[in-house]
Amino acid sequence: MRDPATRIWVRAAVTAAVCCAALLPAASQADARSRTGSELVDCALTGTAHFSPPLSGTARPTTVTVDAALSPCTYTVFAPDGITSGTAKVTLVFSALSCTTSTLDSSASHARFNWNLADGDHTFSRLTGITLTQAIGNGILAGTVTADSPRLAGERAVSVLEVISKQLLTSNCETGGTPVADSTVVADIAFA
C-alpha cells in the first residue's frame, strides 16, 4: 500500500498542475494531434515488472521490463481528443541491480506510451533520459518525452511507484531467498 504522505504529495502536485492548466489557452482542433508543452495528463498505472535475471541480493547487470495499463487518465485540456487511457512498455537497463543497490543506465532505458483518445483515435509518446530514485520496493521514475513524439513532446513525466512482490523483498535480500522474477507495479504518473 502506498504511504499516505506520498499519496497526499502526488495529489497536491496534480492539483497544482490542474490549476496551472486552467490558465493555459486550449489548443485548436487543427493542432490536436501534435500538441506540445501545454497538456497535463495524470494516470494510474498498474502492471507487471519482469526482472532478467531475477532480482536477488547480488548486484548484477539486469534488464527490467514493465508492461502496464494506464487507466483512468485525467486530462486537463478538455478537448474531443483528450487522453483517456493507454498502455506502457518500459525498459530499464541496470549495470548493477540487487534488492539494495541500483545503477540505472539512463541512455539505454526507454519507454513507450500508447494512448487512447476520447474521440476514439490513438497516438503515442516515447520517453528517454529516464532516471530512477529508489528505496526497496518504492521509487520515483522520471524522464522526458522525445521531441519527435506525436503527443506530449518535450514534456516531463514523473511517476511515484511501488513494486509489490509475492515474495518479501527484504527477506529475499537479507536471507538469500528465492530470486524475484516478476512483481506487480502500481504507480501514479503525471506528464506536464
Side-chain angles (χ1 to χ4, degrees):
M1 180 182 257
R2 286 191 224 180
D3 174 12
T6 300
R7 278 189 254 147
I8 290 169
W9 177 83
V10 169
R11 286 191 179 122
V14 170
T15 301
V18 169
C19 291
C20 291
L23 302 174
L24 298 172
S28 69
Q29 281 296 107
D31 67 355
R33 299 286 178 258
S34 61
R35 289 192 190 123
T36 59
S38 63
E39 294 183 89
L40 300 170
V41 178
D42 181 74
C43 300
L45 178 149
T46 304
T48 303
H50 307 280
F51 299 90
S52 180
L55 181 65
S56 71
T58 304
R60 56 191 168 179
T62 304
T63 299
V64 179
T65 54
V66 178
D67 295 296
L70 300 157
S71 182
C73 291
T74 304
Y75 181 74
T76 60
V77 176
F78 300 102
D81 68 337
I83 294 171
T84 59
S85 63
T87 59
K89 174 81 168 192
V90 181
T91 301
L92 302 173
V93 179
F94 294 87
S95 58
L97 180 67
S98 73
C99 296
T100 57
T101 304
S102 70
T103 306
L104 180 69
D105 181 350
S106 291
S107 64
S109 299
H110 54 89
R112 180 179 167 115
F113 297 87
N114 293 307
W115 301 115
N116 300 315
L117 307 179
D119 65 3
D121 206 351
H122 307 279
T123 190
F124 68 93
S125 301
R126 285 187 297 271
L127 193 70
T128 58
I130 295 175
T131 59
L132 177 66
T133 305
Q134 77 170 46
I136 294 176
N138 297 291
I140 298 174
L141 182 136
T144 302
V145 178
T146 61
D148 63 344
S149 289
R151 204 63 182 253
L152 306 172
E155 294 198 14
R156 189 85 174 133
V158 176
S159 179
V160 177
L161 49 96
E162 179 179 12
V163 177
I164 304 166
S165 177
K166 293 177 185 168
Q167 300 163 270
L168 294 175
L169 293 181
T170 52
S171 295
N172 176 278
C173 292
E174 293 171 4
T175 64
T178 304
V180 178
D182 301 290
S183 291
T184 298
V185 177
V186 292
D188 183 85
I189 185 163
F191 294 81

